[in-house]
Every structure is written in C-alpha cells, then in structure tokens.
C-alpha cells in the first residue's frame, strides 16, 4: 500500500497569507495525485487532480505541483473560506489518502 | 450536475450488517464512463476507500483488502442507485460513510460525493 504523509499537521496563518502544504508518497505515484478540501460536516471537495490541474470551478489561487514522491499544494492568498482541512490522494495503486493538514486562522 | 443522495440507518448493532444506499441523479449507475465508490472516514482510520462497482458490458466490483471478506457493493439499475453492505460490524466500523463518483476521463479522481452518513456501531 502506498502511504501518503502530509505536513505540517496544522498550519496557522492569517487571511491574505500564502499557504504551502506538502504531501510525500512512500513510492512514486508519477503525477497521479489529487488534493481535496474538507470543511466541517461536509464531504471532501476535489481541488487539484493529476498533481497540477485545477478541477472545475476552483479559483486560480489554488495551485499544485510535484511528481514522483513529493507534491505541494499552494494557496497564494488565503481567503476566509479557505480555512479547512486538506487531503492528498493517490490513484496509482488503488486509492489512499494522506492524514490531512488543517489550515487554521492565526 | 451530478447529485449523490445517501440513505440508511445511523445505528447498527455489533455483529450485524451495515447497509447504505446512494441514489444518483445527473448520471447513470450503468454508465461506461464512471465507477461508483464507497469511502469512509473516522478519526482512527482517516479517509479509507472501501470499494467500487462499475459497468463495462458487465458488472465489476473491487474491494479494499481491509474489508474484502465482509463487503458487498451492488448496483440497482431500475432505481439508478448503488448500495453498500458491510457484514459482522464492530465498533471499529463506526465512521462517516460517503459514496463518490470517479470518472474514467479527467479529472479521473472522486469528483462528486454524497453528503455523508454517520454510522455508529453500538449495542
């Protein structure tokens, strides 16, 4: 099973600041990685797929990069609605998720 | 716009069977361009993919190793829905359960999700 490790566990930032989230895979997943956003009481929402492609309707402030084992989700300037938990997911060998990074208001 | 609506009991006794249904609108459970999945989320396990069903001239199912001996996913084309059955549940199966669609083309990840169903396993 491919294990995805996200860091940091919690990111404390202010609105307008830049957020950089990391996801590391235990073996190469090529570019077969997605990022999701989850708010309390809601299902995950697809943000980024294939490492760097924004899903339909996702604002341009969200961007993804990386390939192989190291991936980054960047939120260029945090809006109030961006404070949430973010998960990465791979689809190389079935589907596994990271444990999440919580972006909280500082 | 695809909408997935989940239904089923929120409380199941240990050793019994957990049953949930996901009703689809805006797509077809027998589509050749999607697979229909169940995912659960708990504090101890995080997000965990459980299994899928899909139609490619015939029906296929795939299940996660962790639940393979206890899980069944079925499609009901007459109602355009699919279901999850998990047998012999224990308190460790307490989680929020989601159904989700995965298209075979971009984005090729879970793009539509149900609202989630909290299932508690307790006597």
């Amino acid at each position: 099973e491919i294990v995805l490790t996200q860091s940091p566990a919690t990111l404390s930032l202010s609105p307008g600041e830049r957020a950089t989230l990391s996801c590391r895979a235990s073996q190469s997943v090529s570019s077969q990685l997605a990022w999701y956003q989850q708010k309390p009481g809601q299902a995950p929402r697809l943000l980024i797929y294939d490492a760097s492609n924004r899903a339909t309707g996702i604002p341009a402030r969200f961007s993804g990069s990386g390939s192989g084992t190291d991936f980054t989700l960047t939120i260029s300037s945090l809006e109030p609605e961006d404070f949430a938990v973010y998960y990465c997911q791979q689809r190389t060998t079935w589907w596994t998720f990271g444990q999440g990074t919580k972006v909280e208001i500082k | 716009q695809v909408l997935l609506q989940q239904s089923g009991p929120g409380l199941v006794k240990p050793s019994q069977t957990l049953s949930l249904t996901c009703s689809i609108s805006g797509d077809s459970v027998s589509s050749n361009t999607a697979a229909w999945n169940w995912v659960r989320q708990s504090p101890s396990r995080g997000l965990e993919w459980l299994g899928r069903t899909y139609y490619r001239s015939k029906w296929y199912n795939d299940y996660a190793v962790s639940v393979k001996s206890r899980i069944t996913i079925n499609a009901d084309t007459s109602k355009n829905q699919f279901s999850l059955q998990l047998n012999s549940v224990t308190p460790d199966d307490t989680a929020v359960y989601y159904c989700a669609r995965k298209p075979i083309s971009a984005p090729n990840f879970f793009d539509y999700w149900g609202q989630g169903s909290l299932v508690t396993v307790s006597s």
Side-chain angles (χ1 to χ4, degrees), chain A residues 62-103:
Chain A
F62 291 93
S63 63
S65 63
S67 66
T69 60
D70 291 296
F71 300 86
T72 301
L73 174 69
T74 301
I75 310 171
S76 60
S77 178
L78 282 163
E79 296 288 338
E81 62 268 27
D82 298 337
F83 292 92
V85 181
Y86 293 83
Y87 295 95
C88 56
Q89 180 200 24
Q90 65 82 27
R91 63 173 175 84
T92 302
T93 306
W94 298 115
W95 294 273
T96 55
F97 295 84
Q99 82 280 17
T101 290
K102 181 180 182 180
V103 179

Side-chain angles (χ1 to χ4, degrees), chain A residues 6-22 35-40 47 61-62 72-88 99-106:
Chain A
Q6 292 186 239
S7 60
T10 304
L11 201 50
S12 298
L13 295 168
S14 301
E17 289 193 295
R18 182 184 189 91
T20 303
L21 288 67
S22 174
W35 291 93
Y36 296 83
Q37 175 193 69
Q38 188 177 34
K39 296 179 180 179
L47 298 176
R61 64 181 182 273
F62 291 93
T72 301
L73 174 69
T74 301
I75 310 171
S76 60
S77 178
L78 282 163
E79 296 288 338
E81 62 268 27
D82 298 337
F83 292 92
V85 181
Y86 293 83
Y87 295 95
C88 56
Q99 82 280 17
T101 290
K102 181 180 182 180
V103 179
E104 65 175 22
I105 300 176
K106 186 175 182 180

Side-chain angles (χ1 to χ4, degrees), chain B residues 3-5 11 16 24-25 32-33 35 42 57 66-67 77 79 81 86 94-96 100 102 116 118:
Chain B
L3 186 64
L4 304 179
Q5 182 68 37
L11 181 64
Q16 295 193 345
I24 303 164
S25 57
N32 282 303
T33 59
S42 66
S57 301
S66 60
V67 295
T77 57
K79 297 180 180 178
Q81 61 188 22
L86 189 64
T94 294
V96 177
K102 192 195 86 61
L118 173 60

Side-chain angles (χ1 to χ4, degrees), chain B residues 1-120:
Chain B
Q1 178 75 357
V2 177
L3 186 64
L4 304 179
Q5 182 68 37
Q6 299 176 218
S7 59
L11 181 64
V12 182
K13 288 182 167 50
S15 80
Q16 295 193 345
T17 297
L18 179 160
S19 296
L20 293 172
T21 298
C22 183
S23 297
I24 303 164
S25 57
D27 202 345
S28 171
V29 72
S30 54
S31 166
N32 282 303
T33 59
W36 305 96
N37 297 263
W38 287 98
V39 176
R40 68 181 176 183
Q41 184 175 30
S42 66
S44 59
R45 294 175 174 271
L47 284 160
E48 179 185 17
W49 174 79
L50 298 176
R52 66 176 179 175
T53 190
Y54 60 98
Y55 184 77
R56 303 288 185 267
S57 301
K58 68 175 186 177
W59 289 100
Y60 294 87
N61 291 294
D62 295 297
Y63 301 127
V65 170
S66 60
V67 295
K68 193 167 187 174
S69 63
R70 301 190 291 131
I71 189 173
T72 303
I73 297 176
N74 286 318
D76 185 337
T77 57
S78 67
K79 297 180 180 178
N80 202 29
Q81 61 188 22
F82 63 109
S83 63
L84 167 69
Q85 287 193 306
L86 189 64
N87 302 324
S88 305
V89 296
T90 71
D92 191 47
D93 293 310
T94 294
V96 177
Y97 287 75
Y98 294 100
C99 58
R101 184 187 86 158
K102 192 195 86 61
I104 63 171
S105 59
N108 205 2
F109 282 88
F110 301 148
D111 60 351
Y112 289 96
W113 296 65
Q115 79 275 22
S117 300
L118 173 60
V119 179
T120 302

